[in-house]
Amino acid sequence: MSDPIKVLVTGAAGQIAYSLLFNVAKGNIFGPDTPISLVLLDIQPMMPVLEGVVMELKDCALPLLKEITSTADTDVGFKDIDVALLVGAMPRREGMERKDLLASNVKIFKSQGQALDKYAKKSVKVVVVGNPANTNALICMKYAPSIPPQNFSALTRLDQNRAQYQIANKCGVSAHDVHNVIIWGNHSSTQYPDISHATVKLSSGTKSVKDAVKDDKYLKNDFLKCVQERGAAVIKARKLSSAMSAAKAICDHVHDWWHGVPKGNYVSMAVCSDGSYGIEKGLMFSFPVTTHSDHTYEIVKDLAIDDFSRSKLDITLKELLDERDLALSVCE
């Protein structure tokens, strides 16, 4: 076996982490031969709860789990980590405005960026989950200047998974039969779930999603609305934000970033823009990416963007620019 990968999970006593930690420690993300050293970080009032989570992890008797560190000390939590899963944040409650959530959380991610810069390995891979995820990732990246910008990402895989299921359900197939659905932009209700380049495997062969569904009105209206507003719908039903599905999406995101995806396939990740598709350079924007076995990714280039899609990209771009400006004003 190789040396253990040191994985930090923040908000480790919370709902998402409770579904996530077993999958990390079991080998479902980094592989069945990769030992794991888990670092669990949460705020001091959550330490008694976190103690119970640690007990359960130990009781699972997982052979790959070599070490567990639980702490409320940021200096300890970020020391020499290989992967940072930044889950912890103030959760969005029913009726909460997004700007209020941003103001509450952005200072948390400023301090975590500073901790990454000071303590983490310079090769650390960072996934921001706490909302507003794109802008929190941007702030985290800004305050960790010694770590390459391409090492930072925010989670939009949950939105991709939601979109895949809706298309699969419409076509009567498995979600695994739907490929290359794209989430552009922000992890918010302005995101653009794009099926323009997606395919679906049917019993009669592989077709474009547009040809398989044969309902443009649905694809441009109800489908978009369902995916864009799914998070709010879950909150309305559960009175809590998505947890199980968010944990699954984190696993998918990190697994594919770590191991790569098959040639011809791409996945959605919010990453630092290089200027592609007219998106301002340096903005944390969800793009279609291809990932490789050396833990790198590339933004998929030169996909055709029609007028409808461009209008949707412009809407989510404006929101992200506004969020960035607000976040920087809070930080500074």
Side-chain angles (χ1 to χ4, degrees), residues 26-330:
K26 179 74 163 53
N28 294 344
I29 298 176
F30 298 102
D33 299 317
T34 302
I36 300 294
S37 173
L38 268 181
V39 184
L40 309 182
L41 180 67
D42 215 314
I43 57 176
Q44 190 62 49
M46 296 302 294
M47 285 299 104
V49 177
L50 188 55
E51 182 180 352
V53 174
V54 172
M55 289 180 192
E56 287 209 67
L57 282 168
K58 290 177 178 178
D59 292 348
C60 288
L62 298 167
L64 293 176
L65 184 54
K66 300 303 180 184
E67 182 182 25
I68 308 172
T69 302
S70 59
T71 183
D73 186 338
T74 300
D75 296 359
V76 173
F78 284 81
K79 182 69 173 175
D80 295 330
I81 55 172
D82 297 290
V83 177
L85 306 180
L86 304 184
V87 178
M90 177 183 287
R92 180 183 169 195
R93 303 295 186 188
E94 188 173 4
M96 180 181 282
E97 292 290 333
R98 190 173 178 82
K99 64 183 179 181
D100 297 328
L101 186 68
L102 186 148
S104 298
N105 281 328
V106 70
K107 291 181 181 179
I108 296 172
F109 287 87
K110 174 182 177 180
S111 65
Q112 291 185 348
Q114 292 168 330
L116 284 163
D117 197 59
K118 186 174 182 180
Y119 297 111
K121 294 179 181 178
K122 301 310 174 188
S123 59
V124 65
K125 298 294 187 287
V126 182
V127 183
V128 175
V129 179
N131 282 316
N134 293 55
T135 299
N136 286 339
L138 176 72
I139 293 301
C140 201
M141 180 179 69
K142 174 181 171 60
Y143 286 95
S146 67
I147 297 171
Q150 62 266 28
N151 288 22
F152 291 84
S153 65
L155 186 73
T156 55
R157 185 59 174 268
L158 175 54
D159 307 300
Q160 179 190 315
N161 288 350
R162 288 165 169 165
Q164 276 184 244
Y165 173 80
Q166 294 302 323
I167 295 299
N169 188 55
K170 190 76 171 176
C171 295
V173 298
S174 165
H176 289 288
D177 294 321
V178 180
H179 297 280
N180 295 351
V181 174
I182 300 168
I183 303 298
W184 297 97
N186 203 1
H187 174 58
S188 77
S189 61
T190 70
Q191 66 179 258
Y192 174 42
D194 180 12
I195 54 78
S196 303
H197 309 279
T199 61
V200 57
K201 184 179 179 183
L202 305 172
S203 58
S204 57
T206 299
K207 294 185 176 182
S208 70
V209 166
K210 186 175 180 179
D211 288 342
V213 173
K214 296 180 181 177
D215 189 343
D216 278 357
K217 184 178 179 181
Y218 164 76
L219 291 172
K220 290 185 176 182
N221 293 282
D222 289 351
F223 166 69
L224 295 186
K225 184 177 180 180
C226 176
V227 179
Q228 290 170 334
E229 299 179 0
R230 189 69 162 189
V234 171
I235 292 171
K236 184 176 180 180
R238 295 186 71 230
K239 311 306 177 187
L240 295 166
S241 56
S242 301
M244 176 172 49
S245 57
K248 165 61 164 55
I250 297 166
C251 294
D252 293 341
H253 177 114
V254 181
H255 177 276
D256 288 350
W257 193 359
W258 203 258
H259 299 285
V261 294
K263 187 176 181 180
N265 285 14
Y266 38 84
V267 293
S268 299
M269 291 170 57
V271 298
C272 185
S273 173
D274 60 1
S276 296
Y277 301 101
I279 305 306
E280 185 173 322
K281 192 172 182 179
L283 199 65
M284 194 64 65
F285 195 92
S286 184
F287 292 97
V289 303
T290 55
T291 58
H292 309 290
S293 58
D294 61 354
H295 325 322
T296 62
Y297 67 82
E298 298 173 63
I299 295 173
V300 178
K301 306 290 188 180
D302 302 322
L303 293 175
I305 305 292
D306 62 19
D307 290 343
F308 178 82
S309 295
R310 175 53 61 186
S311 70
K312 297 299 183 183
L313 264 66
D314 288 345
I315 292 169
T316 195
L317 172 59
K318 182 182 184 304
E319 182 182 54
L320 279 169
L321 290 171
D322 290 344
E323 281 190 9
R324 178 198 62 187
D325 294 344
L326 176 59
L328 290 174
S329 71
V330 171

